[in-house]
Amino acid sequence: MERFIRSDQYHFIKNQAHNLLNSHMTTNDASVTQALQSITQEKVLDLFTELSSEQEQMIAQASDVKDETDAILYFSRLKQYVVPFPKLSEADIQKLFPKVKKLRVPAIPNEEWTELSYIGWNDVSANRKYIITTVDGELTGLYGHYKPLRQKSICSLCHEHEKVGMFTATFKGENKEETISRGNYICHNSQKCNQNIQSRQPLESFIKRMQA
Ligand SMILES: [Zn+2]
């Protein structure tokens, strides 16, 4: 079976299975757990438009998770079918930011590539944040001014309450003399943000909004 699960879908399934696990541990009411089991199954299958019977069987198993051991085993199996983020060399990354002279690219540990919806890093000395992701299937790089916020707030990419900063991108408007700046709060820690992302739709619309 080939890899067919996106990182955001993987995190969604994990989250659903965790909710179910919680229910198993906190309620003795079998009917409650059974109801949640069928909701879980429906929700995880709903993520996909087309599944082979083998794939469907594996995804549906999210509703069989009853304890921590089940969860660990299931997630590690699932992870084998997650499509990793396209592997990029430093030169590939530099090409995505042709205007940036001294680009500092972080090393991403091998095991992390399968859990990424985007690559994001901070260049603290330049007050910048860089983001690479695919938008409508195309690899896209975006950078902007980045200023950490003191208190936690909602991230526009993962929608969780996290340590965030104001990300501001500046670009040319339709009229070439016009400059447009747009800003939004996003997670300070992009690894953490990726773990939170259960739908890549807000990520893609964020990138589009910051470019036009
Ligand atoms: Zn986030």
PDB file of all heavy atoms in Angstrom, residues 118 155-160 162 186-187 193 196, ligand 1:
ATOM      1  N   TYR A 118       3.823  22.353   6.606  1.00  0.00           N
ATOM      2  CA  TYR A 118       4.669  23.427   6.071  1.00  0.00           C
ATOM      3  C   TYR A 118       5.997  23.404   6.791  1.00  0.00           C
ATOM      4  O   TYR A 118       6.127  22.831   7.872  1.00  0.00           O
ATOM      5  CB  TYR A 118       3.981  24.787   6.214  1.00  0.00           C
ATOM      6  CG  TYR A 118       3.896  25.367   7.626  1.00  0.00           C
ATOM      7  CD1 TYR A 118       4.848  26.280   8.081  1.00  0.00           C
ATOM      8  CD2 TYR A 118       2.857  25.022   8.483  1.00  0.00           C
ATOM      9  CE1 TYR A 118       4.762  26.830   9.356  1.00  0.00           C
ATOM     10  CE2 TYR A 118       2.755  25.571   9.760  1.00  0.00           C
ATOM     11  CZ  TYR A 118       3.718  26.480  10.196  1.00  0.00           C
ATOM     12  OH  TYR A 118       3.619  27.030  11.454  1.00  0.00           O
ATOM     13  N   CYS A 155      -3.640  31.129  16.765  1.00  0.00           N
ATOM     14  CA  CYS A 155      -2.819  31.087  15.550  1.00  0.00           C
ATOM     15  C   CYS A 155      -3.731  30.956  14.331  1.00  0.00           C
ATOM     16  O   CYS A 155      -4.664  30.159  14.341  1.00  0.00           O
ATOM     17  CB  CYS A 155      -1.857  29.910  15.652  1.00  0.00           C
ATOM     18  SG  CYS A 155      -1.094  29.415  14.093  1.00  0.00           S
ATOM     19  N   SER A 156      -3.454  31.723  13.268  1.00  0.00           N
ATOM     20  CA  SER A 156      -4.312  31.641  12.074  1.00  0.00           C
ATOM     21  C   SER A 156      -4.067  30.389  11.248  1.00  0.00           C
ATOM     22  O   SER A 156      -4.837  30.096  10.351  1.00  0.00           O
ATOM     23  CB  SER A 156      -4.115  32.811  11.121  1.00  0.00           C
ATOM     24  OG  SER A 156      -3.531  33.893  11.704  1.00  0.00           O
ATOM     25  N   LEU A 157      -2.968  29.690  11.515  1.00  0.00           N
ATOM     26  CA  LEU A 157      -2.690  28.494  10.722  1.00  0.00           C
ATOM     27  C   LEU A 157      -3.290  27.243  11.356  1.00  0.00           C
ATOM     28  O   LEU A 157      -3.893  26.420  10.688  1.00  0.00           O
ATOM     29  CB  LEU A 157      -1.181  28.295  10.556  1.00  0.00           C
ATOM     30  CG  LEU A 157      -0.388  29.468   9.988  1.00  0.00           C
ATOM     31  CD1 LEU A 157       1.079  29.110   9.875  1.00  0.00           C
ATOM     32  CD2 LEU A 157      -0.945  29.863   8.629  1.00  0.00           C
ATOM     33  N   CYS A 158      -3.128  27.090  12.671  1.00  0.00           N
ATOM     34  CA  CYS A 158      -3.605  25.872  13.328  1.00  0.00           C
ATOM     35  C   CYS A 158      -4.845  26.117  14.181  1.00  0.00           C
ATOM     36  O   CYS A 158      -5.472  25.178  14.662  1.00  0.00           O
ATOM     37  CB  CYS A 158      -2.489  25.240  14.162  1.00  0.00           C
ATOM     38  SG  CYS A 158      -1.994  26.227  15.593  1.00  0.00           S
ATOM     39  N   HIS A 159      -5.177  27.385  14.410  1.00  0.00           N
ATOM     40  CA  HIS A 159      -6.366  27.766  15.202  1.00  0.00           C
ATOM     41  C   HIS A 159      -6.306  27.353  16.665  1.00  0.00           C
ATOM     42  O   HIS A 159      -7.324  27.263  17.337  1.00  0.00           O
ATOM     43  CB  HIS A 159      -7.664  27.241  14.555  1.00  0.00           C
ATOM     44  CG  HIS A 159      -7.969  27.881  13.239  1.00  0.00           C
ATOM     45  ND1 HIS A 159      -8.985  27.476  12.414  1.00  0.00           N
ATOM     46  CD2 HIS A 159      -7.365  28.923  12.605  1.00  0.00           C
ATOM     47  CE1 HIS A 159      -8.996  28.236  11.318  1.00  0.00           C
ATOM     48  NE2 HIS A 159      -8.020  29.102  11.418  1.00  0.00           N
ATOM     49  N   GLU A 160      -5.093  27.068  17.163  1.00  0.00           N
ATOM     50  CA  GLU A 160      -4.951  26.735  18.581  1.00  0.00           C
ATOM     51  C   GLU A 160      -4.469  27.964  19.341  1.00  0.00           C
ATOM     52  O   GLU A 160      -3.903  28.895  18.768  1.00  0.00           O
ATOM     53  CB  GLU A 160      -3.950  25.586  18.779  1.00  0.00           C
ATOM     54  CG  GLU A 160      -4.423  24.252  18.226  1.00  0.00           C
ATOM     55  CD  GLU A 160      -5.587  23.656  19.002  1.00  0.00           C
ATOM     56  OE1 GLU A 160      -5.672  23.847  20.232  1.00  0.00           O
ATOM     57  OE2 GLU A 160      -6.432  22.990  18.358  1.00  0.00           O
ATOM     58  N   GLU A 162      -1.862  29.466  21.298  1.00  0.00           N
ATOM     59  CA  GLU A 162      -0.439  29.162  21.449  1.00  0.00           C
ATOM     60  C   GLU A 162       0.372  30.440  21.616  1.00  0.00           C
ATOM     61  O   GLU A 162      -0.136  31.542  21.461  1.00  0.00           O
ATOM     62  CB  GLU A 162       0.081  28.439  20.199  1.00  0.00           C
ATOM     63  CG  GLU A 162      -0.470  27.041  19.963  1.00  0.00           C
ATOM     64  CD  GLU A 162       0.167  25.989  20.863  1.00  0.00           C
ATOM     65  OE1 GLU A 162       1.081  26.325  21.647  1.00  0.00           O
ATOM     66  OE2 GLU A 162      -0.265  24.820  20.779  1.00  0.00           O
ATOM     67  N   ILE A 186       0.550  34.154  14.059  1.00  0.00           N
ATOM     68  CA  ILE A 186       0.798  32.729  13.822  1.00  0.00           C
ATOM     69  C   ILE A 186       1.757  32.192  14.892  1.00  0.00           C
ATOM     70  O   ILE A 186       2.461  32.960  15.552  1.00  0.00           O
ATOM     71  CB  ILE A 186       1.352  32.433  12.401  1.00  0.00           C
ATOM     72  CG1 ILE A 186       2.653  33.164  12.114  1.00  0.00           C
ATOM     73  CG2 ILE A 186       0.321  32.784  11.335  1.00  0.00           C
ATOM     74  CD1 ILE A 186       3.268  32.759  10.769  1.00  0.00           C
ATOM     75  N   CYS A 187       1.769  30.882  15.043  1.00  0.00           N
ATOM     76  CA  CYS A 187       2.581  30.241  16.085  1.00  0.00           C
ATOM     77  C   CYS A 187       4.045  30.642  15.998  1.00  0.00           C
ATOM     78  O   CYS A 187       4.623  30.725  14.917  1.00  0.00           O
ATOM     79  CB  CYS A 187       2.528  28.719  15.946  1.00  0.00           C
ATOM     80  SG  CYS A 187       1.110  27.959  16.705  1.00  0.00           S
ATOM     81  N   CYS A 193       3.151  24.053  15.754  1.00  0.00           N
ATOM     82  CA  CYS A 193       2.022  24.443  14.910  1.00  0.00           C
ATOM     83  C   CYS A 193       1.649  23.294  13.968  1.00  0.00           C
ATOM     84  O   CYS A 193       0.478  22.946  13.828  1.00  0.00           O
ATOM     85  CB  CYS A 193       2.413  25.674  14.105  1.00  0.00           C
ATOM     86  SG  CYS A 193       1.063  26.440  13.220  1.00  0.00           S
ATOM     87  N   ASN A 196      -0.329  20.712  15.473  1.00  0.00           N
ATOM     88  CA  ASN A 196      -1.709  21.129  15.735  1.00  0.00           C
ATOM     89  C   ASN A 196      -2.585  21.130  14.491  1.00  0.00           C
ATOM     90  O   ASN A 196      -3.803  21.147  14.604  1.00  0.00           O
ATOM     91  CB  ASN A 196      -1.734  22.573  16.276  1.00  0.00           C
ATOM     92  CG  ASN A 196      -1.119  22.717  17.652  1.00  0.00           C
ATOM     93  OD1 ASN A 196      -0.993  21.747  18.375  1.00  0.00           O
ATOM     94  ND2 ASN A 196      -0.746  23.927  18.008  1.00  0.00           N
TER      95      ASN A 196
HETATM   96 ZN    ZN B   1      -0.215  27.439  14.877  1.00  0.00          ZN
END
